Amino acid sequence: MDLIRQQRAPICEALEKFRKKRVVPFDVPGHKRGRGNPELTKLLGQQCVGIDVNSMKPLDNLCNPVSVIAEAEDLMADAFGAAHAFLMVGGTTSAVQAMVLSVCAAGDKIILPRNVHKSVINALILCGAIPVYVKPKIHPVIGVALGMEADALLEAIKANPDAKAVLINNPTYYGICSDLVKLTKIAHEHGLKVLCDEAHGTQLYFADDLPIAGMKAGADMAAISMHKSGGSLTQSSVLLIGENMDQAHVRQIINLTQTTSASYLLLSSLDISRRNLALRGKESFAKVKEMSEYARNEINAIGDYYAYGKELIDGSSVYDFDVTKLCVFTKPIGLTGIEIYDLLRDEYDIQMEFGDLGTIMAYISIGDRMQDIERLASALSDIRRLYKRDKEDLAYVDAVTPKVVCSPQESFYAKKQSLPIHKTAGRVCGESVMCYPPGIPILSPGELITEDLIGMILYARDKGCSLQGMADPSADNIQVLEGVLGA
């Protein structure tokens, strides 16, 4: 990394230069630097709306960058150790989908774990690729899906020698990491591209003693959520590629779905955040690690809760663990994660990243403070004292690997009918059903609905999880393929 060059922020510099010129705007956006919408200006401030501008020659164009955006992408690639970087303003969803669409066409197979984010499934709907699921092991205590094992990948490749790519979560939402170097080596030896969903892995590129990052492990592509742990504005992300990817082709794929009116607020936030991480990231993430480990120890000292960490490492299904992920298993106090999530928000004014059926997660990043950690630990202790009850059997969304009957694309566009959920066992699902966050589908289009899955969906709904993806938001009905039985 060239630390001298990394002091630049070319998009931000161009915006500041443009602001000083006081150009008369006869272009979009129509609020004209905020003058046409004073309420918006009052909410966001003149500094913000004054640089909410459209693409123009001095500011470059994200669809075909040749000047300041091109330079910013080059600096981003240098900071992350990639051959090239694309600035993404459609969130990491757009980056993940661009990865899949860049290497898969209709009918192509892609190997992936079942606990992928919904953006991956949606990419398969868009391009018509066929998922080959590698079933992960489930941890016997905390109930979450673990990493992809080398033997499982090899078995999937042997059974599907025509597969084009493998997608790996690095890390998972819960901090679990696979042996990325070994998996990448196996995939490349068999001619497969390696795609890394690193939506929760920005810190891996700028910290010591954390699991290996995708680009360093030799992955071909990696999707990075800069806005999650890297400090940029919500919806701003990065797509990284290695030397063996066709940069022009990837740009064309991105431009199929990415806006032609990119927000310079998002682009400048990526530019500034990259500079901040390049110059101060190692120091910042060292503090994040310190806060996370402190929180883990404090929460475990309360009793009953289990804030898990590196003790999960077994060298196989949990090859490594990202200690910046503060996930707390809640079953021992008799409450689901979503119940504690609600209590923390409603009674203690603490907003967690997510609560699912067995876990809550606090997203610790460069903006957190130690006093906030203390407040969280104190609230959890209070909840245990006031609300603890006999523990019950809990279902876990991550533990599901449904049978794939037909492709996501075929199922999504097939003729469908809506049936009461309790009458759908044995039918093929025509839509996605997921708890969000984290956005891992319980059911995806083309998968067989079973009584167990119906029970899990209803249990999650009754416990207060936010169910998404269904035409019926109440989850009373599910869309199934008309006239198709999956059993």
Side-chain angles (χ1 to χ4, degrees):
M1 188 192 309
D2 186 342
L3 292 179
I4 300 298
R5 287 188 65 227
Q6 288 295 332
Q7 295 179 39
R8 294 283 314 280
I11 296 175
C12 301
E13 293 161 11
L15 283 169
E16 285 299 329
K17 185 176 180 181
F18 172 79
R19 190 205 301 272
K20 291 175 183 177
K21 286 189 173 182
R22 303 184 69 179
V23 174
V24 178
F26 285 110
D27 61 349
V28 296
H31 62 67
K32 304 297 173 105
R33 317 294 189 262
R35 293 196 302 269
N37 194 340
E39 292 90 351
L40 181 66
T41 304
K42 182 179 179 181
L43 175 66
L44 300 180
Q46 184 58 51
Q47 282 284 103
C48 179
V49 296
I51 58 170
D52 180 34
V53 295
N54 194 30
S55 297
M56 59 188 76
K57 278 191 175 181
L59 298 179
D60 209 353
N61 190 299
L62 185 61
C63 295
N64 183 33
V66 294
S67 59
V68 294
I69 294 178
E71 185 180 356
E73 289 187 338
D74 185 49
L75 287 167
M76 189 73 75
D78 177 58
F80 279 86
H84 188 74
F86 301 90
L87 306 186
M88 307 294 294
V89 294
T92 310
T93 287
S94 65
V96 167
Q97 292 176 349
M99 287 198 303
V100 176
L101 270 62
S102 292
V103 299
C104 291
D108 287 342
K109 294 177 181 178
I110 179 170
I111 299 170
L112 62 163
R114 179 56 180 74
N115 59 321
V116 291
H117 187 261
K118 67 175 183 177
S119 59
V120 180
I121 306 299
N122 291 344
L124 303 184
I125 292 172
L126 291 173
C127 71
I130 310 298
V132 175
Y133 291 124
V134 175
K135 185 175 181 179
K137 291 180 179 177
I138 306 300
H139 193 277
V141 176
I142 59 177
V144 302
L146 304 178
M148 184 183 291
E149 297 189 49
D151 290 345
L153 175 59
L154 270 171
E155 183 179 339
I157 293 174
K158 288 177 181 177
N160 300 273
D162 53 343
K164 301 295 184 181
V166 56
L167 186 142
I168 305 165
N169 296 318
N170 189 54
T172 70
Y173 215 167
Y174 301 86
I176 309 295
C177 292
S178 306
D179 188 348
L180 193 55
V181 172
K182 189 171 184 179
L183 294 174
T184 299
K185 184 174 184 292
I186 291 170
H188 284 167
E189 286 174 347
H190 290 84
L192 278 69
K193 295 294 187 185
V194 177
L195 317 180
C196 283
D197 182 348
E198 293 187 313
H200 302 279
T202 303
Q203 63 282 354
L204 306 185
Y205 289 86
F206 301 97
D208 295 326
D209 303 324
L210 286 182
I212 193 168
M215 287 294 103
K216 190 172 182 180
D220 298 291
M221 307 183 80
I224 307 291
S225 281
M226 280 284 276
H227 68 94
K228 287 187 169 71
S229 57
S232 64
L233 290 178
T234 296
Q235 200 176 306
S236 58
S237 296
V238 180
L239 176 59
L240 307 174
I241 63 172
E243 294 179 354
N244 294 323
M245 294 300 302
D246 184 340
Q247 178 182 331
H249 173 67
V250 176
R251 177 82 70 188
Q252 288 179 320
I253 294 294
I254 291 171
N255 285 341
L256 288 176
T257 56
Q258 183 154 263
T259 179
T260 56
S261 303
S263 167
Y264 278 86
L265 299 176
L266 299 182
L267 293 174
S268 59
S269 80
L270 284 170
D271 204 20
I272 291 173
S273 298
R274 180 269 313 154
R275 179 173 64 184
N276 181 48
L277 293 181
L279 301 180
R280 294 173 286 276
K282 186 172 289 190
E283 174 187 346
S284 296
F285 285 118
K287 292 179 180 177
V288 171
K289 285 171 52 185
E290 180 184 350
M291 284 189 291
S292 300
E293 293 287 35
Y294 175 78
R296 194 169 280 113
N297 292 333
E298 289 292 296
I299 293 169
N300 284 334
I302 295 170
D304 293 322
Y305 295 111
Y306 176 32
Y308 45 88
K310 277 185 169 289
E311 72 279 356
L312 296 183
I313 294 174
D314 61 10
S316 180
S317 55
V318 186
Y319 182 77
D320 208 343
F321 185 83
D322 177 10
V323 296
T324 69
K325 298 290 180 293
L326 181 59
C327 293
V328 183
F329 181 57
T330 64
K331 179 178 178 180
I333 70 166
L335 297 173
T336 62
I338 190 63
E339 288 173 317
I340 294 180
Y341 172 97
D342 288 341
L343 284 168
L344 286 168
R345 183 194 61 239
D346 297 340
E347 302 296 330
Y348 298 89
D349 293 328
I350 294 174
Q351 181 61 57
M352 302 295 279
E353 169 65 11
F354 79 82
D356 63 16
L357 296 181
T359 302
I360 54 171
M361 178 186 180
Y363 212 103
I364 312 298
S365 75
I366 58 178
D368 284 298
R369 304 170 301 174
M370 197 64 83
Q371 56 261 47
D372 298 327
I373 302 294
E374 296 280 7
R375 183 173 169 182
L376 172 61
S378 176
L380 288 174
S381 179
D382 208 37
I383 288 172
R384 177 180 179 269
R385 179 177 59 85
L386 295 173
Y387 298 99
K388 180 179 177 180
R389 60 176 182 246
D390 291 339
K391 59 185 178 181
E392 54 185 299
D393 291 332
L394 302 177
Y396 297 99
V397 173
D398 258 6
V400 180
T401 306
K403 177 184 176 183
V404 177
V405 178
C406 46
S407 78
Q409 185 185 68
E410 178 186 355
S411 309
F412 185 81
Y413 289 108
K415 199 168 185 179
K416 291 174 277 197
Q417 63 183 123
S418 180
L419 292 179
I421 188 170
H422 63 274
K423 293 184 178 180
T424 58
R427 303 298 293 268
V428 178
C429 189
E431 59 187 355
S432 291
V433 184
M434 72 199 79
C435 296
Y436 188 85
I440 298 166
I442 302 173
L443 273 169
S444 291
E447 294 179 342
L448 178 66
I449 302 172
T450 65
E451 292 288 355
D452 285 344
L453 289 166
I454 292 170
M456 183 172 293
I457 293 167
L458 295 177
Y459 183 89
R461 183 189 67 179
D462 293 344
K463 288 298 183 180
C465 290
S466 174
L467 290 173
Q468 296 189 9
M470 308 167 75
D472 178 6
S474 68
D476 289 329
N477 301 280
I478 294 182
Q479 289 191 341
V480 300
L481 271 59
E482 192 172 287
V484 179
L485 297 177

